[in-house]
Amino acid sequence: PGGCVDELQAAVEGRLNRARTLSGCFSRKGMSPMKYRLPEADFELPDGYFDQSVTVLSLGPDGSPPLRILITRGLAAEGVSVSDYAESDIASRRRAQEGFDLLWRRDHVLDGRPAVITASRAEEQGDPVAERHAYVLNGRAVLTIAFTTSGEFSAEQMKILHAFNRSFVFRNED
């Protein structure tokens, strides 16, 4: 008990107000070595493992609902497009999230990679939650970036969301 799962739950509930990467919590066989750069160190995963770590950010001035950013990594099955991957995730969220309502879905490109972006609403413990998701295909890996906030997105939160997307650049490593 505890560890990664408790930290992830706290992040999803908005109780973490700092950046946190839960690396190493979710790995399985899949791809060639992956190189990592952290502010403190560089490292590589062993051959045959695929990173399924989760990165959590919670941003916002004191006293306002935080903008939560949850970045997950998945592996698309051979022949599965980013559109298919997104549709499967949307269907899962529709079944799992109370009051889920997909507002819109668009094909997109993020840093030259095919992507799908969505806007939706759901409920957490009876309270409304606004959501934006970006699904980005990078080889067979799919990065899912989820932006959520209590109620509706404020103008300031939307500025942060758009700035995040404009600044997002994949690192092309050998």
Side-chain angles (χ1 to χ4, degrees):
C4 296
V5 173
D6 286 348
E7 288 188 46
L8 178 58
Q9 183 63 37
V12 168
E13 292 172 0
R15 290 187 281 137
L16 287 181
N17 286 316
R18 64 189 188 294
R20 171 66 62 121
T21 300
L22 306 175
S23 295
C25 296
F26 307 95
S27 295
R28 69 179 176 142
K29 292 192 180 264
M31 298 176 76
S32 58
M34 297 181 74
K35 297 177 183 178
Y36 288 83
R37 279 194 190 118
L38 301 175
E40 303 83 2
D42 291 345
F43 65 95
E44 238 179 68
L45 287 180
D47 286 349
Y49 282 84
F50 174 73
D51 173 19
Q52 290 186 324
S53 64
V54 176
T55 303
V56 177
L57 303 160
S58 185
L59 310 172
D62 291 337
S64 67
L67 173 63
R68 297 182 301 258
I69 305 171
L70 179 67
I71 303 170
T72 57
R73 295 156 184 87
L75 189 59
E78 191 70 39
V80 172
S81 69
V82 70
S83 184
D84 294 340
Y85 190 96
E87 285 304 318
S88 176
D89 186 65
I90 291 165
S92 294
R93 289 172 38 224
R94 186 172 276 126
R95 286 188 302 273
Q97 288 181 290
E98 185 179 334
F100 179 82
D101 182 22
L102 180 64
L103 304 175
W104 52 259
R105 176 199 179 283
R106 297 184 186 127
D107 291 331
H108 191 64
V109 174
L110 186 60
D111 192 33
R113 276 122 174 123
V116 171
I117 57 174
T118 66
S120 55
R121 283 189 218 127
E123 292 180 10
E124 285 180 3
Q125 300 173 345
D127 294 326
V129 175
E131 304 175 328
R132 296 287 190 279
H133 282 73
Y135 303 88
V136 187
L137 188 62
N138 187 33
R140 280 191 49 215
V142 177
L143 208 61
T144 302
I145 308 166
F147 300 89
T148 62
T149 193
S150 298
E152 295 296 325
F153 288 102
S154 69
E156 185 62 28
Q157 288 173 328
M158 290 305 293
K159 284 181 192 175
I160 293 168
L161 188 152
H162 292 299
F164 180 96
N165 286 336
R166 280 192 308 275
S167 71
F168 197 90
V169 177
F170 281 92
R171 221 181 282 146
N172 294 321
E173 299 206 11
D174 302 323

